[in-house]
Amino acid sequence: MVLRGQGALWGALVILTVASEPCQAGLYLGSGTNSSANHALAASAEFSLSDSTLSIVLKNTSLQTYGANQTVPSSVLTALLVDINPTPNPFNLLTAYASELVNYSGPANPNLAVDGSKKDYTGTLGGWQLKPSEGLGTAGFGIFNGNIVNTGEGTGGFNFGLINAGYNPGDGNNAVDSTPLVRDTLTFAITVGSGFSLSHIQSVKFQYGTSLSEPSFYGTLQTPPDSDEEGSEGVNAVPEPSTLVMALGCVATIGLVRVIQRHRSLNAAA
């Protein structure tokens, strides 16, 4: 059977919608207090999964403003501890891309990828390390290989930790002001196994400083108001942009067909 006119176009739209591969997404928000320094802390982690690439956008979202010498290492977001069950295989960090670097005198390229055995493109600087059973970190914590991660500039053991947008060079103590930091946002790209789903994420924890005794708090998954059963499990299906474009193109074409049909009907009646 051959579909014609409007029926064919609606059929094409249905096929595109059904055949499209969803992109899973989930946003975790958390906040706390650094009581020793009287700082307000806040962070977010947004996960999105498309095919075999997991993207994580990690942000230090605190609105804290600092005075001179007030920023301390425990103000710096240094790990995203993620409990995933089952742990995907493979699970390899591809890149860690910084929005802006501060306290840093090296090249401007902010790609800080490190897989635990190599440093970033300069060959002298450290970055973030992925440990599949634990998450991501740039301080050791007895979890990550801090000797590999933190080399080159900075001696505090938290190279390229995340400081919030309110920090300016010179606002911290000596350890902070002598350590290269990322202002605001880090975006990670990770290769995962084909069976991985964001529903496998059991918990997300934001860790600050260089010790597990320093400030930390769990993130809460944000559920959209109109979430369905799948979304309530922490996975929201979002059509791929190319599919949306194609679908909108179909809708526009349907509208054009209706206009042409109406025009023909009016001419026939004249």
Side-chain angles (χ1 to χ4, degrees):
M1 179 179 67
V2 178
L3 296 175
R4 297 183 182 278
Q6 183 175 332
L9 290 167
W10 277 114
L13 179 57
V14 169
I15 291 171
L16 282 170
T17 304
V18 172
S20 64
E21 286 291 334
C23 174
Q24 300 174 7
L27 173 65
Y28 291 80
L29 301 179
S31 61
T33 302
N34 184 345
S35 56
S36 63
N38 195 28
H39 290 171
L41 305 175
S44 69
E46 184 171 10
F47 296 76
S48 59
L49 177 65
S50 181
D51 296 327
S52 61
T53 300
L54 172 65
S55 296
I56 304 175
V57 180
L58 179 63
K59 293 186 177 183
N60 186 329
T61 57
S62 171
L63 300 178
Q64 178 79 43
T65 55
Y66 304 98
N69 302 317
Q70 288 186 352
T71 314
V72 293
S74 55
S75 309
V76 181
L77 179 59
T78 49
L80 180 68
L81 303 178
V82 186
D83 180 10
I84 299 177
N85 187 21
T87 302
N89 183 24
F91 198 51
N92 302 317
L93 178 61
L94 298 177
T95 60
Y97 190 85
S99 58
E100 180 185 352
L101 300 178
V102 293
N103 303 336
Y104 175 65
S105 59
N109 189 335
N111 187 340
L112 308 174
V114 60
D115 63 7
S117 61
K118 67 178 183 180
K119 306 175 186 65
D120 73 337
Y121 78 101
T122 66
T124 60
L125 296 175
W128 284 67
Q129 182 188 5
L130 171 70
K131 188 172 183 179
S133 60
E134 300 287 352
L136 292 153
T138 186
F141 299 113
I143 299 172
F144 307 101
N145 193 335
N147 291 331
I148 289 177
V149 174
N150 290 289
T151 59
E153 295 185 31
T155 58
F158 52 99
N159 284 0
F160 303 110
L162 271 168
I163 193 66
N164 73 343
Y167 169 80
N168 291 305
D171 283 351
N173 65 10
N174 182 66
V176 170
D177 290 339
S178 62
T179 296
L181 300 173
V182 174
R183 190 196 306 279
D184 192 62
T185 305
L186 265 169
T187 302
F188 302 96
I190 298 169
T191 299
V192 297
S194 59
F196 175 68
S197 167
L198 294 192
S199 62
H200 297 167
I201 298 174
Q202 306 300 306
S203 67
V204 169
K205 189 177 186 180
F206 302 99
Q207 176 68 54
Y208 291 73
T210 57
S211 168
L212 294 177
S213 64
E214 293 188 282
S216 65
F217 46 83
Y218 285 96
T220 301
L221 177 64
Q222 306 302 294
T223 305
D226 58 348
S227 64
D228 55 18
E229 182 177 351
E230 184 180 29
S232 65
E233 296 176 355
V235 182
N236 305 311
V238 181
E240 297 285 0
S242 58
T243 303
L244 283 174
V245 171
M246 295 173 69
L248 290 173
C250 284
V251 172
T253 305
I254 290 169
L256 179 60
V257 168
R258 287 179 174 174
V259 171
I260 293 173
Q261 288 177 338
R262 179 175 176 80
H263 180 69
R264 286 178 176 173
S265 297
L266 291 174
N267 286 341

